[in-house]
Amino acid sequence: MNEKIEKLKKQYHDIPIPDELDDIIAQALASHPRKKKSYIWPSAIAAAAVIFIMTVNVSPDAANAMAKIPVLGKVVEVITFDELKQEEKHSRIDVKTPSISGLQNKGLQTSLNEKYVKKNEQLYEQFKKEMETLQKGDKGNVAVSSGYDIMTDTDDLLVVHRYVEESRASTSSVNQYDTIDKKHEVLITLPSLFKDKSYIKVISENIKQQMKDQMKDQMKHEEGKIYWLTEEDMDPFKQIDENQSFYITRNHKLRIVFDKYEVAPGYMGNIEFEIPTDVISNLLVGKRYIH
């Protein structure tokens, strides 16, 4: 038994280290400045993970070399392209930019990644302008936060959720979802799921009923829930937009999303409604995504 163990240990130590690995580590160390810049990486991440993430961010060639290392295999489909943090006086900005990789449809992949970068660039430029105004004597605090998470990741679907939260005199939030068919490599829109526009009315009526049921039952289960439904409200909910925010869950259910203040008071935050499949089944183009 001891001989077998020693033999295994020798085989382990004799495993050749890929040449690419030295290049990757060297590039990461050379590219990472000693002085802290605006791009800040969480200190709690293990050293190996930091090297991996920063190398992918800095050099596409290094990312390709990393993919060739058998132990690591394919680069993950969604990574953090970069993270920007900056604080000035009582104002701050913290934005994370996602990047999708691995799609054969490079047109779709590039358009999505460019959209993510452009949006965060706009947030940062707006933040800089506001900082210049505040430095001239205007009072106020600004807080901007943007990030992402993966809502669904199955063999068929990938849903990337991006959010922006901004705080000035009041707070606001915007949520956007990109739902990708991973097998056919196309972006799924809400209209593309249905035969015609009749889904707008059907889904809207179902959401109104869910709102009424929740408010009616709030004394038992949903205390404090309020939705803007009646004409007495300033801006009552009438129907969803043709391209209302949505995503498809891993259980193949459709969820409609409303931003803060869109259909309810701000303290309710962002609101989601799952639409029963039997309500929309006759309207769907097919049952590939929702069933």
Side-chain angles (χ1 to χ4, degrees):
M1 180 63 69
N2 290 335
E3 290 179 358
K4 289 182 179 180
I5 292 174
E6 289 301 319
K7 185 177 180 180
L8 289 172
K9 287 172 62 178
K10 185 176 186 305
Q11 290 175 348
Y12 171 80
H13 289 295
D14 288 342
I15 294 173
I17 298 175
D19 294 335
E20 295 95 337
L21 189 58
D22 290 334
D23 295 335
I24 291 168
I25 295 174
Q27 290 180 44
L29 294 175
S31 303
H32 184 43
R34 293 182 179 276
K35 184 178 179 181
K36 289 186 177 180
K37 300 292 184 180
S38 296
Y39 293 86
I40 301 173
W41 299 93
S43 58
I45 299 178
V50 173
I51 292 174
F52 173 77
I53 295 173
M54 292 187 61
T55 304
V56 173
N57 293 346
V58 171
S59 169
D61 293 335
N64 292 333
M66 182 71 79
K68 296 176 183 177
I69 300 175
V71 175
L72 294 178
K74 183 181 178 181
V75 176
V76 293
E77 289 179 312
V78 181
I79 61 173
T80 299
F81 177 72
D82 62 29
E83 180 177 7
L84 169 64
K85 291 183 179 181
Q86 184 174 326
E87 291 191 19
E88 292 191 22
K89 295 183 179 180
H90 299 293
S91 297
R92 61 182 175 80
I93 184 171
D94 182 356
V95 295
K96 291 181 181 179
T97 305
S99 177
I100 298 174
S101 64
L103 291 176
Q104 296 299 315
N105 185 345
K106 298 306 178 185
L108 174 60
Q109 180 173 292
T110 300
S111 65
L112 289 172
N113 290 339
E114 287 181 350
K115 178 176 69 172
Y116 301 154
V117 171
K118 184 177 181 180
K119 178 59 181 177
N120 281 353
E121 284 179 346
Q122 291 173 344
L123 289 173
Y124 182 59
E125 290 301 319
Q126 178 63 29
F127 179 78
K128 288 199 301 182
K129 290 179 181 179
E130 290 181 293
M131 290 304 96
E132 292 173 1
T133 301
L134 293 176
Q135 289 173 358
K136 292 179 181 179
D138 289 356
K139 296 182 179 180
N141 300 328
V142 177
V144 180
S145 176
S146 173
Y148 72 95
D149 47 50
I150 307 303
M151 303 299 293
T152 302
D153 189 2
T154 66
D155 291 339
D156 296 317
L157 292 174
L158 174 67
V159 179
V160 182
H161 166 223
R162 293 173 298 118
Y163 58 86
V164 178
E165 297 176 352
E166 299 181 83
S167 176
R168 293 176 178 83
S170 61
T171 60
S172 65
S173 65
V174 176
N175 295 271
Q176 295 181 319
Y177 299 81
D178 291 315
T179 302
I180 302 166
D181 180 330
K182 292 165 69 174
K183 290 186 175 179
H184 295 86
E185 300 201 346
V186 294
L187 188 66
I188 302 169
T189 64
L190 190 60
S192 71
L193 293 170
F194 298 96
K195 299 173 183 177
D196 52 45
K197 293 185 179 181
S198 61
Y199 73 90
I200 297 175
K201 181 177 180 180
V202 173
I203 291 177
S204 298
E205 291 304 314
N206 180 263
I207 288 175
K208 287 179 184 178
Q209 189 59 52
Q210 289 193 49
M211 289 177 173
K212 292 175 183 177
D213 291 342
Q214 288 182 19
M215 288 192 292
K216 182 178 179 180
D217 202 36
Q218 67 177 336
M219 295 302 294
K220 297 179 181 179
H221 304 293
E222 305 290 348
E223 186 175 355
K225 286 207 169 186
I226 297 175
Y227 297 104
W228 295 327
L229 278 171
T230 68
E231 293 302 325
E232 297 177 357
D233 296 317
M234 184 180 300
D235 188 15
F237 169 66
K238 294 181 180 180
Q239 67 177 28
I240 62 170
D241 292 332
E242 181 178 345
N243 287 289
Q244 185 72 39
S245 292
F246 80 99
Y247 67 93
I248 301 172
T249 69
R250 64 178 297 105
N251 296 322
H252 303 280
K253 302 302 179 184
L254 175 65
R255 294 186 72 87
I256 299 295
V257 184
F258 296 96
D259 288 329
K260 191 175 181 180
Y261 297 109
E262 196 171 354
V263 295
Y267 73 84
M268 294 272 290
N270 303 313
I271 298 169
E272 299 183 8
F273 292 94
E274 184 166 299
I275 309 303
T277 302
D278 58 357
V279 172
I280 55 175
S281 59
N282 293 333
L283 308 177
L284 293 168
V285 172
K287 296 183 179 181
R288 173 178 174 79
Y289 305 119
I290 301 172
H291 52 76

